Amino acid sequence: MSMNICDDRDSDTSSTAHGPAPLGENETAVYGWVLDHHSADPLRAAADLGLSPDDTRAALEKLTALRLVIPEAPAGRTAGAATGPHARARAVDPDAVVTALTAPLQESIHQDQLRLQRVRDDFERLRERFLRGRAEASPGALEVIPSLEEVRAALNRASAECRTEMTTVQPGGTRDPEAMTEALARDTALLERGIRIRTLYHHTARFNGPSQAYVAAASALGAEYRTAHELFGRIIIFDRELAFIPDRLGTWGAVAIREPSVVAYLCEIFEQTWTHATPFSEAGQDGLERVAKEVDLTIVRLLAAGLKDESIARRLGMSLRTTRRHIADIMETLGAESRFQAGILAARAGLTGADEAEQKGPAGARGTAGA
């Protein structure tokens, strides 16, 4: 927002619409010379200071316009510009000048602050009306949030109002470094308020550098992270009262859920998956080999179930290219000529994990089957 400062010195080259023009090294040096010599002789000042006469005259003109240098006329003569060869001048105390000089700027800032506060007050009233209308339209139920900007606003509001915990499920193995930096700043603010943070990732996140760096930094502040070979979908839950899930169209929209039974159900699914998930560790640590084996076994099981490559990639949080590379390696190991044959051979060899699913029971099956 621009500031408009107008007074009887609008034509001064030493002032701009944003206040007095900045004083540089030349002005500071010339001011000191005038202070010491009680003179405004530009040639002597230029010679003593090692400046050009033109630069010295320009500095004197600026200082004079700002009333930091005042010409002094000999007795019986009228004071003129402080640029003559024998001109006398005095340097004025800056404290005697600055208040009057900056008063218009201070007033402009004050008026801008008043305008800013009025805008904030207006939008706060709109916010209150928006939240009231939303509550009246869907009391305790569901709210469809159509755009990414509105989703971010809703998430930021929920984060600011969060009291005890935030639990999230973040499928996929690749993370954007810039997004992770933004997430770390947001989560740090929550952790500093004593909010508990738990997050589930796909196993593939262990191989992603930005994810490793983010988890290491946030874990040091108290956040908790685990990974699973399959997840049931993206979700964010605040205080076991408010949940956000993606919209069904796969756009950047979301659905906010406040109905207690639905939120409780989502929390239960999270807890079951969390129980069977593996604590996050960096790629170089001991758990990586076991995690990689579990990923391969899951691919074998999904092949045996007849899932296509795209579905397998989505459920494991892998790129399609990486998934197909895993499938090719598995087929070569099993000696299979087709994906269907690989699934059959894996089932005959007992590699599909049926026994393990039976041991885990319904809770384990629901935690890994996904949506």
Side-chain angles (χ1 to χ4, degrees):
M1 184 177 297
S2 62
M3 303 177 186
N4 185 18
I5 302 176
C6 299
D7 60 17
D8 60 352
R9 297 189 300 275
D10 282 347
S11 61
D12 287 350
T13 58
S14 58
S15 298
T16 70
H18 295 277
L23 296 177
E25 294 181 358
N26 288 355
E27 286 76 26
T28 302
V30 172
Y31 175 85
W33 191 91
V34 174
L35 181 66
D36 294 338
H37 295 82
H38 303 283
S39 171
D41 186 337
L43 297 180
R44 285 181 56 202
D48 290 348
L49 298 173
L51 300 175
S52 70
D54 288 343
D55 287 344
T56 304
R57 289 190 183 92
L60 280 169
E61 289 175 0
K62 184 180 290 188
L63 292 169
T64 302
L66 291 173
R67 293 170 172 76
L68 287 167
V69 169
I70 296 180
E72 292 183 336
R77 295 183 59 184
T78 302
T83 57
H86 304 292
R88 291 188 57 79
R90 67 183 179 88
V92 179
D93 182 349
D95 287 342
V97 178
V98 66
T99 300
L101 192 63
T102 60
L105 182 59
Q106 292 281 9
E107 177 61 22
S108 179
I109 292 173
H110 176 65
Q111 293 300 324
D112 283 344
Q113 289 174 333
L114 291 177
R115 285 192 288 270
L116 177 61
Q117 188 59 50
R118 283 197 294 269
V119 170
R120 286 175 172 167
D121 292 342
D122 290 343
F123 275 78
E124 180 61 26
R125 288 193 298 272
L126 292 175
R127 176 179 180 271
E128 292 175 357
R129 183 63 185 88
F130 173 78
L131 294 177
R132 185 170 69 252
R134 183 180 65 181
E136 292 171 354
S138 54
L142 307 177
E143 176 196 0
V144 177
I145 306 174
S147 70
L148 177 60
E149 292 75 13
E150 290 174 292
V151 170
R152 285 177 172 170
L155 288 173
N156 289 337
R157 186 162 52 243
S159 296
E161 296 172 353
C162 185
R163 304 183 308 277
T164 57
E165 69 171 349
M166 179 181 74
T167 55
T168 68
V169 180
Q170 300 290 348
T174 302
R175 294 289 184 273
D176 177 64
E178 184 176 347
M180 299 305 285
T181 300
E182 180 181 346
L184 181 59
R186 181 186 63 248
D187 293 349
T188 297
L190 287 170
L191 292 165
E192 289 176 347
R193 286 164 40 205
I195 306 300
R196 185 187 184 188
I197 294 179
R198 289 184 295 163
T199 300
L200 282 167
Y201 286 130
H202 271 121
H203 280 332
T204 47
R206 295 169 178 264
F207 301 88
N208 180 254
S211 295
Q212 293 173 14
Y214 163 75
V215 169
S219 295
L221 299 174
E224 304 168 62
Y225 299 89
R226 294 185 182 183
T227 64
H229 57 297
E230 288 186 83
L231 294 174
F232 51 87
R234 191 178 307 277
I235 188 169
I236 304 176
I237 306 174
F238 294 94
D239 294 331
R240 297 178 177 265
E241 296 175 354
L242 171 62
F244 291 87
I245 62 174
D247 65 9
R248 65 181 180 85
L249 300 176
T251 65
W252 290 106
V255 178
I257 305 171
R258 294 177 178 81
E259 205 290 316
S261 295
V262 177
V263 175
Y265 180 79
L266 294 172
C267 289
E268 179 63 22
I269 294 177
F270 176 90
E271 294 297 345
Q272 291 180 6
T273 308
W274 180 265
T275 299
H276 297 289
T278 306
F280 196 109
S281 61
E282 295 185 4
Q285 296 182 352
D286 296 338
L288 188 58
E289 183 177 351
R290 180 170 60 83
V291 167
K293 182 179 179 181
E294 186 175 349
V295 169
D296 284 343
L297 289 175
T298 302
I299 292 176
V300 168
R301 181 169 59 81
L302 296 177
L303 283 173
L307 270 68
K308 295 182 179 180
D309 296 356
E310 292 80 1
S311 298
I312 295 174
R314 184 169 57 253
R315 293 183 54 170
L316 295 182
M318 285 185 180
S319 68
L320 183 58
R321 181 178 179 180
T322 300
T323 302
R324 285 175 172 165
R325 187 168 63 246
H326 277 272
I327 291 174
D329 291 341
I330 292 170
M331 289 176 60
E332 182 179 354
T333 300
L334 294 172
E337 297 180 358
S338 68
R339 286 163 171 74
F340 179 75
Q341 186 183 18
I344 297 299
L345 293 175
R348 290 176 179 174
L351 300 177
T352 57
D355 293 340
E356 181 182 355
E358 291 176 0
Q359 291 175 2
K360 287 183 178 180
R366 181 169 62 174
T368 57

